[in-house]
Amino acid sequence: AQSVTQPDIHITVSEGASLELRCNYSYGATPYLFWYVQSPGQGLQLLLKYFSGDTLVQGIKGFEAEFKRSQSSFNLRKPSVHWSDAAEYFCAVGASGTYKYIFGTGTRLKVLA
Amino acid sequence: SQTIHQWPATLVQPVGSPLSLECTVEGTSNPNLYWYRQAAGRGLQLLFYSVGIGQISSEVPQNLSASRPQDRQFILSSKKLLLSDSGFYLCAWSGGLAGGDTQYFGPGTRLTVL
């Protein structure tokens, strides 16, 4: 069965430090991969997505993610975190040929001043 | 540009009362529509999705139902709410590419069942 795992429930980093949020997926074929961000009490906003081609994907707000097929991973990175990045981050998989998306349980990011 | 609306933004309802949450999309036609529920620490749970008017797929057995009376309108309903129905409900839409299109989310409805 398809699944998405975000092993870190909470992450705390200092402002200006680098960030990596982990995402592992289980899927039989090449998936469509997404990262979303959610501020408290709001909907989700797309950060970036991977469909095919270059495995390093650039997104909004200075985020990037790298698709590694051999590790079934799609980790999100940012070289220097800003206090406004504090939010919850969700990794998702779109299953080719279906209309369903599978979300991880999210990683809550706290940024220390 | 496309926009997605949800209302109400917040709702407090007693156990056993009915529910109706509405979602509308503007600026696109024939979208795929989705209802998710988000409980604290549990990520997003897909409740229903629809690929066309009157076409509803249910993902989780529960006392909720969904309807799509118009192309860009998606309604989540219940005849009798349970305490466990409390949560944050999100509506989303995507384009026609199965599994491959970006989902765009509404602002959500916070439902508290007392």
Side-chain angles (χ1 to χ4, degrees):
Chain A
Q2 300 139 9
S3 65
V4 176
T5 302
Q6 293 181 247
D8 303 306
I9 299 174
H10 297 278
I11 282 187
T12 300
V13 299
S14 298
E15 190 170 20
S18 63
L19 173 70
E20 183 169 31
L21 303 182
R22 296 183 290 164
C23 173
N24 293 96
Y25 66 89
S26 173
Y27 185 66
T30 299
Y32 301 116
L33 296 161
F34 306 84
W35 273 101
Y36 289 87
V37 61
Q38 183 182 33
S39 297
Q42 298 187 21
L44 277 69
Q45 179 186 21
L46 179 73
L47 286 174
L48 48 79
K49 59 186 179 184
Y50 171 78
F51 285 178
S52 64
D54 192 349
T55 57
L56 185 62
V57 180
Q58 302 298 320
I60 63 171
K61 303 184 180 185
F63 285 93
E64 66 177 26
E66 186 171 12
F67 170 59
K68 293 185 177 180
R69 183 191 306 274
S70 61
Q71 299 177 20
S72 298
S73 69
F74 188 56
N75 294 348
L76 182 71
R77 302 193 295 248
K78 186 169 184 178
S80 178
V81 171
H82 188 263
W83 63 266
S84 60
D85 293 324
E88 191 155 21
Y89 293 79
F90 291 93
C91 181
V93 168
S96 175
T98 79
Y99 294 96
K100 297 192 291 185
Y101 299 77
I102 302 164
F103 283 79
T105 52
T107 297
R108 186 170 297 278
L109 174 65
K110 182 177 180 180
V111 180
L112 301 176
Chain B
S1 64
Q2 303 90 2
T3 56
I4 178 168
H5 304 279
Q6 283 187 248
W7 64 90
T10 60
L11 191 60
V12 180
Q13 293 284 91
V15 170
S17 63
L19 173 73
S20 181
L21 302 182
E22 189 164 345
C23 171
T24 59
V25 180
E26 297 177 354
T28 187
S29 59
N30 197 30
N32 301 322
L33 296 172
Y34 302 81
W35 278 113
Y36 290 90
R37 178 168 58 204
Q38 187 176 21
R42 298 189 62 183
L44 274 70
Q45 179 186 33
L46 178 62
L47 302 175
F48 302 93
Y49 68 96
S50 170
V51 300
I53 295 174
Q55 301 179 57
I56 308 295
S57 296
S58 175
E59 288 298 297
V60 181
Q62 59 213 332
N63 70 321
L64 299 173
S65 62
S67 62
R68 185 172 178 173
Q70 300 180 44
D71 181 45
R72 291 169 289 178
Q73 184 185 31
F74 205 24
I75 297 172
L76 183 69
S77 303
S78 174
K79 293 182 179 178
K80 289 185 177 182
L81 283 169
L82 306 173
L83 287 174
S84 58
D85 291 324
S86 293
F88 192 53
Y89 288 81
L90 289 161
C91 181
W93 74 271
S94 71
L97 178 61
D101 269 324
T102 300
Q103 284 192 307
Y104 298 93
F105 286 82
T109 295
R110 172 74 59 190
L111 172 65
T112 303
V113 183
L114 302 175

